[in-house]
Each structure stands twice: as structure tokens, then as C-alpha cells.
Amino acid sequence: SAKASLSTVILKGTKREEVEKYKERVKELEEQVETLESEISQKSGQYRAQIQAINLENVTKAVPEKALLVEFTSYQPYDAKKDKLEPNRYAVYTLDNKGKVGWADLGEVKEIDRLAGEFRDRLKGKKNSRVMSQKLYQKLMKPIVEIAGKRERLFLSPDGSLNLIPFAALLDSKGKYLVEKYKLTYLTSGRDLLRLQAKTESGQTAFIFANPDYGQGEGLILKGRKFTALKRLPATAEEGKSIKMILKQAELRMDREATESSIKQVSRPEILHIATHGYFMEDLERKNVEESRILVQQNSQDIDIEKEKKENPLLRSYLFFAGANEGGDKESDGTLTALEAANLDLLGTKLVVLSACDTAVGEAKNGEGVYGLRRALVLAGSESQMMSLWQVSDKATKELMVDYYTKLKAGEGRSDALQNVQLKMLHSKQYSHPYYWASFIQSGQWAKLER
């Protein structure tokens, strides 16, 4: 409740003459949240279990056979002779199930981040990305592939900006994508392998939220700024109905029933699927993409982007539900922030799929992963998540999702199912560009759903 109030206050913003009162209220709510979290952590056995000591031996035992744990890290070298710090660099460490550790220095962060940014921009714009993809492969993956040998699965724990690129779309010198060579799963860190060993019961029901009726209001107000009204997404309706046909016991909520308050009441579902508009307030001046699941800001020229980046990233990640164009009361205004999503009751939930734009995006912090919906869903207790790295195509996403659930139903693992869908799209005529098939990544538990 305190986090919902904090989200509401910040989203609504304030008038210039009331800035001081606004700041006091935000500070008051932030302190209230911190106090409550501290009290809960002292009483929660599950929280204490999460912060237990983690050692190399136990992580090694958790690495499956024919798999390799790959952890990227950013570090700053120190030149003892010159007594000065050198520019930041990326390194990578690997660990197999025999306890063998490998490592390699990858190069300066500045150069690799530049390549990663250009690579992602080209993918988002559906441009030719092959040259950039191969350059990044040589920088990031060549040393890892040499260590991996004939292993089949890579557990990738990126750092910094590397969290925001699809490794599946990296090309080797022979023109083969990484997705054609390895099964890929993303982790926050190697310790996730231990966390995922703990089995927690979920409910038996799947919940599908799709094609919300956003209402007829003039538009959204986010943090005091106006956005154009959300348009409904026809393909999400087909998506929801098709997945319901696959998951017979699922509850499907669409139109005016796909509300923010409804999703907050969901308790430990086996699967949670959300098909709607998504947004991360990062690049505030970008243009709309036709037929994508994203919204457009009307007054981007007035935004202080640097100021925005200093604010809590969990309050810059959004999913939108019924009535979002109309606002509403503070508990159900149709806008779900990542801060609120972290409080969903998803302990034991096997899979959360966010079939929307930018849901895997957030503020990438060195050594800490991505602050946004990706982190929020882990905090909420979900075992695995499938999310997007950019503005996705409405129609292509529907087809990807239906095929993905079909493969899950057939008994394929969560990572394997995504890989096989991506390979099918890669070899199709209509969706061969990585823009369509590489947009979604799977993180967390990789195995098949237990039924």
C-alpha cells in the first residue's frame, strides 16, 4: 500500500508552486517503505534464506552437465607503477559443473558499450545489423565459445549495458547466430542457480491479461507529463484467446476486466501472461513505431532527460491496464509501475510472460543487473520471466507467443521452447530479421514446467 501511494504521488507530479510539499511527501513515503521493508526482513524466514552464504562449491554443483555459467563483469584496472586508475574494462568468468574456472579480458567498456548500443539501435530499427553483430561477437563471445567447446547451454549473467542486448542475435565469422549454436538462459548472477533449486508450490491456475480497454480519456499522465491516448492492440485479443485454448484451465481477462486491481489480487498463479502496452521512460524523444505495443509522449521537448535518469528506475517502468486513459483512484489507475509489480504475490509462479514493449529494459547498473520490471518480477517471487528488449510488433509477437506456449504444452523446457520458436522465425521469410525473433529473452528457471 505504501509503495502504491508512492507510485501514485510521483506519477501525478505537482505544480511548480507546490514543489516543496511534493518533495516532503515523497520523502515521507520513501521512509515509510524502507521502515516496513526492514521490519518484514527481520521476520521473514524466506528473506533470511536468500541472504545465506553462497560459495563456489555449491554454485558448481548447481551447474548442469553440458552447461557453462558465463558471468560478465566491469572493472577498473589500477596501474601501480603510474599510481593511477585506467579506463573501465569488461572481463568474463566461466564455471562448469566440474569446478573448472575460465576467464578472459574483453576490452574497454566504452568501446564495447558503443558497439552494443549501435547493435541494439540497428535491431530496433529493423536495419542491417550483421557487421555490428559480428564485431560484437568477436569482442564478447569468441573467448567464451573457445572455453565452452561442445557444451549445449550457456547461462549468461551480463553486466552494465550488456544486459540490454540479445546475445541470441550475435553472429560468428561463418554467419551463424548464437541461437543456432546454444540454448541461452539469462541470470542476474550465478547465485540464481542456487535460488532456483528451492521449490515453492504455486497455484494450478494460469492467468492471462490481454487487450485491455484503456478507455476514452484524452491520454495518460505519467509523472505530471501528458502522453497520447493508448490505442487498443487487436493482436493481443487473438493472442489471449489462442493461449487460453492451449492452457485450458487458464482464466482470461480482457477488455474492461483486465484491470490493475485485478492483477494485484492474483495469488501465486502457475503462469501469468500479460499482453498490453509497456514503456520504460529512458529515451524520451523516440518516435512511435507503427503497430507496436508502445506509447508516445506529447511534450518530449520539455523533458530534462538527465533529471529523469536520477529518479528511481522502478518508477520509470510501466504496464498499462483497463482505464489507463481515464486515470482513476490511486489503487487502480490503470498504470502498474515496476515498484508495484515487485509487490505482486508471485512466490512459486513458474513463468511470467510480459508480451509488451520494453519489459526487459531498465536502468542497467554495474554488478547489480537491470532495475525495472525484470528485477521487480524476481523480487515478487517468480521462477522465470520472458520479456522484451525493444518495441515489439503486435502481429509477430502474437505468433511468437502462441508457438511458444504450444511448445511448452508439448513438454519443452522454458529456454528450449523460446530457442525453437526463434529458430523457426529466423528461417521464415516474413520474420527472419532479428527485430522479430530476438526481441524476447528468457531469464531464470530454464527447465520444463512441472505438471
Side-chain angles (χ1 to χ4, degrees), residues 20 56 95 152 184 216 218 220 256 271 315-316 332 444:
E20 291 307 315
L56 184 62
L95 178 69
E152 300 174 353
L184 304 175
Q216 302 301 315
E218 294 183 3
L220 293 163
R256 298 301 291 190
I271 296 171
L315 286 167
R316 291 191 275 130
S332 186

Side-chain angles (χ1 to χ4, degrees), residues 146-377:
E146 291 174 356
I147 295 172
K150 295 183 179 180
R151 291 181 177 85
E152 300 174 353
R153 188 181 304 278
L154 299 181
F155 294 104
L156 300 172
S157 174
D159 198 11
S161 297
L162 303 184
N163 281 286
L164 305 179
I165 64 169
F167 281 78
L170 296 179
L171 271 172
D172 67 15
S173 58
K174 297 180 181 179
K176 287 284 187 181
Y177 286 104
L178 199 65
V179 72
E180 297 179 90
K181 300 167 68 174
Y182 298 102
K183 304 176 190 299
L184 304 175
T185 298
Y186 289 75
L187 302 173
T188 303
S189 74
R191 70 180 59 203
D192 284 1
L193 294 175
L194 296 180
R195 178 179 62 83
L196 293 170
Q197 288 182 328
K199 301 298 181 184
T200 306
E201 291 297 319
S202 65
Q204 298 301 309
T205 306
F207 283 85
I208 304 167
F209 290 79
N211 193 30
D213 181 351
Y214 305 110
Q216 302 301 315
E218 294 183 3
L220 293 163
I221 303 294
L222 300 178
K223 300 174 74 172
R225 301 179 180 94
K226 191 172 183 180
F227 289 71
T228 56
L230 293 167
K231 294 181 179 179
R232 300 190 70 174
L233 299 162
T236 65
E238 299 175 42
E239 182 178 316
K241 293 174 183 177
S242 297
I243 295 172
K244 165 67 175 172
M245 293 293 292
I246 299 167
L247 305 177
K248 302 293 186 183
Q249 302 301 316
E251 289 192 24
L252 174 60
R253 297 181 181 175
M254 297 172 56
D255 306 315
R256 298 301 291 190
E257 292 183 353
T259 63
E260 179 192 359
S261 60
S262 180
I263 195 169
K264 286 180 176 179
Q265 293 168 12
V266 168
S267 179
R268 302 188 180 190
E270 181 186 24
I271 296 171
L272 177 61
H273 183 93
I274 302 172
T276 184
H277 283 286
Y279 188 58
F280 178 68
M281 198 173 283
E282 172 192 33
D283 183 358
L284 296 167
E285 296 180 345
R286 64 184 167 193
K287 303 299 182 184
N288 188 32
V289 178
E290 186 178 359
E291 294 184 349
S292 76
R293 301 181 182 185
I294 197 167
L295 68 158
V296 186
Q297 185 161 321
Q298 292 183 335
N299 55 345
S300 59
Q301 68 275 10
D302 300 326
I303 304 306
D304 184 344
I305 293 178
E306 291 306 313
K307 179 182 177 183
E308 293 289 343
K309 289 181 178 178
K310 293 177 182 178
E311 296 185 356
N312 187 344
L314 295 183
L315 286 167
R316 291 191 275 130
S317 294
Y318 312 102
L319 291 172
F320 301 98
F321 296 90
N325 287 333
E326 302 163 351
D329 60 50
K330 69 177 184 179
E331 294 297 331
S332 186
D333 57 7
T335 300
L336 184 77
T337 66
L339 188 68
E340 292 172 293
N343 288 326
L344 296 178
D345 184 9
L346 303 181
L347 191 63
T349 295
K350 307 303 180 186
L351 174 66
V352 178
V353 177
L354 300 185
S355 183
C357 291
D358 286 344
T359 50
V361 178
E363 185 173 314
K365 296 190 177 185
N366 290 339
E368 298 185 46
V370 177
Y371 280 77
L373 286 164
R374 197 190 305 193
R375 169 166 290 231
L377 293 173

